[in-house]
Amino acid sequence: MDSTPTTYTLALLPGDGIGPEVTAEAERVLDAAAEALGFEITTSEHPVGGAGIDAAGDPLPRATLDACLDADAVFLGAVGGPDWDAVAPDLRPERGLLRLRARLGAFANLRPVAVSDALAERSPLRPERVAGTDLLIVRELTGGIYFGLPRERTATEAYDTMRYTVLEVERIARVAFEWARKRGGRVTSVDKANVLASSALWRDVVARVGADEFPDVALEHLYVDHAAMEVVCDPRRFDVVVTGNLFGDVLSDLAATLPGTLGLLPSASLGGRTGLFEPVHGSAPDLAGRDAANPLAAILSAAMLLDSLGEADAATAVRQSVDAVVADGPHTADLGGTASTTDVGGAVADGIALLTLT
Ligand code: NAD
Ligand code: IPM
Ligand code: MN
């Protein structure tokens, strides 16, 4: 019998601000999960964003991209920050991330938001409204106004183009309907079809894909302004929410009000051969360098990474350990505690070892 453990290669892109701090904790937890479940992860670290600009004059250096294209999975901390706000628009740290998503073909960005009873008690919203929320935002990630051309700024005006093709909408709609089949059987498609041509096309295509290929899944359409109100007032009405790149960006930060912090929201960006895993939050310049950021969003992104590798038991162990830390602490300041980033990462890693021993 072959006893060589399975080995995965992981490209780690810590990035800027709190990115390196939360990435270190995600890596620690991945190592603990691999050790406990008997597989191996070989990591290599590469600069991206502001760190890429500083190291190689490019927010996505060639060597970083090549390592990502070769890896089994990519983990990214966060990019951006005030040090690079003055660089040319096409050289900004954020452009590196957008290019990486495009080059990986990562068109489907999954952003789950779940609110346990323990979190509901700490929510800035009424606990009885948010407890039990369990929704999945499926955000289109490589199209729409983030990528549409023409796009220009002159001395006197600037414009972007919100553009979607039928094929782009069909493929993201299928991802959303497939997830609904595995979850609560409902899809809410969010657009601005009463104003935007790209949204009118979006709505028609989602409706057709639903009727033709997923008649068993309930589909509703909401305008994005109405959807924003419902996310706050009645989040439990949602199962899978499918939407375009810009609306999904805004709605996912809005949904962070439900658990009460961006420090808990993970994401997976899928579609190509290699998945990209990153917390929803940014580089949090206000917290950077203070060992104060919540690493759980990064750690839960690592759990999604393990799922994508087929290591479901390891992913479950990570999530169970995170649930225990959310319920009993230690907690960083965003959850009302005084613990550090490293305290929380250490508690999750220790919890995995304990869980898998019992
Ligand atoms: P941000 O997400 O960095 O921070 C928003 C707020 O949430 C801040 O108050 C911050 O302290 C808090 N927060 C974020 N992450 C947290 C964590 N892990 N624990 C506790 N609190 C946390 O958004 P911003 O301030 O608008 O942007 C800062 C920089 O990050 C910008 O350069 C922006 O472009 C970039 N950004 C990058 C990504 C990414 O890399 N995926 C995502 C969003 C923003
Ligand atoms: C996110 C971020 C990015 C986005 C930026 C940094 C390019 O806000 O991942 O949500 O807008 O997609
Ligand atoms: Mn965002």
Side-chain angles (χ1 to χ4, degrees):
M1 193 178 100
D2 183 3
S3 62
T4 312
T6 311
T7 302
Y8 304 101
T9 58
L10 172 60
L12 275 184
L13 280 49
D16 310 319
I18 63 168
E21 299 170 54
V22 299
T23 300
E25 300 315 311
E27 187 181 11
R28 165 142 69 142
V29 166
L30 283 170
D31 285 345
E35 165 83 26
L37 276 303
F39 57 93
E40 284 181 6
I41 299 180
T42 310
T43 56
S44 59
E45 224 176 276
H46 309 276
V48 73
I53 295 171
D54 292 349
D58 184 343
L60 183 63
R62 181 79 230 178
T64 297
L65 175 61
D66 286 344
C68 292
L69 292 169
D70 276 352
D72 294 319
V74 181
F75 184 95
L76 184 140
V79 297
D83 290 355
W84 305 280
D85 277 349
V87 300
D90 283 338
L91 266 185
R92 282 186 64 108
E94 293 85 348
R95 301 300 310 173
L97 175 55
L98 297 180
R99 272 166 51 206
L100 179 61
R101 290 169 176 171
R103 290 301 305 270
L104 290 175
F107 70 87
N109 181 219
L110 310 178
R111 297 187 158 188
V113 182
V115 185
S116 62
D117 289 348
L119 282 172
E121 289 307 317
R122 295 190 187 84
S123 173
L125 306 175
R126 287 173 181 242
E128 68 273 20
R129 295 242 179 151
V130 301
T133 294
D134 181 6
L135 60 87
L136 174 68
I137 297 174
V138 176
R139 171 189 177 196
E140 200 292 324
L141 200 63
T142 54
I145 198 165
Y146 276 54
F147 290 91
L149 296 174
R151 169 177 180 272
E152 197 173 349
R153 178 174 169 179
T154 71
T156 52
E157 65 169 353
Y159 47 84
D160 300 276
T161 301
M162 191 183 280
R163 170 177 181 272
Y164 269 116
T165 65
V166 169
L167 286 176
E168 284 173 322
V169 182
E170 283 175 346
R171 68 181 181 179
I172 195 71
R174 288 190 185 108
V175 171
F177 284 117
E178 295 286 1
W179 273 101
R181 270 188 181 155
K182 288 188 265 185
R183 294 172 43 101
R186 289 177 298 124
V187 168
T188 304
S189 175
V190 173
D191 60 44
K192 191 72 184 173
N194 48 347
V195 176
L196 302 175
S198 55
S199 276
L201 175 126
W202 177 283
R203 187 173 285 218
D204 288 348
V205 173
V206 173
R208 175 175 49 75
V209 171
D212 289 355
E213 301 172 35
F214 301 89
D216 51 312
V217 176
L219 171 65
E220 69 167 342
H221 303 275
L222 285 184
Y223 298 129
V224 63
D225 44 355
H226 180 180
M229 187 273 288
E230 297 285 352
V231 165
V232 174
C233 291
D234 189 13
R236 283 176 299 202
R237 78 197 289 290
F238 294 111
D239 177 20
V240 175
V241 176
V242 64
T243 191
N245 208 338
L246 180 60
F247 299 154
D249 180 46
V250 177
L251 288 179
S252 53
D253 269 34
L254 180 64
T257 59
L258 306 169
T261 172
L262 268 172
L264 280 170
L265 299 196
S267 87
S269 303
L270 308 175
R273 192 192 71 82
T274 306
L276 169 65
F277 302 84
E278 46 172 328
V280 168
H281 64 70
S283 61
D286 50 327
L287 297 177
R290 295 175 33 210
D291 197 16
N294 189 341
L296 293 177
I299 290 169
L300 289 168
S301 304
M304 297 180 88
L305 185 157
L306 290 168
D307 268 331
S308 84
L309 295 176
E311 296 291 347
D313 290 347
T316 300
V318 173
R319 289 196 181 95
Q320 284 177 352
S321 186
V322 167
D323 286 347
V325 167
V326 166
D328 303 325
H331 292 151
T332 43
D334 57 322
L335 287 174
T338 56
S340 66
T341 307
T342 40
D343 289 338
V344 174
V348 176
D350 291 350
I352 290 167
L354 281 176
L355 271 169
T356 47
L357 277 180
T358 52

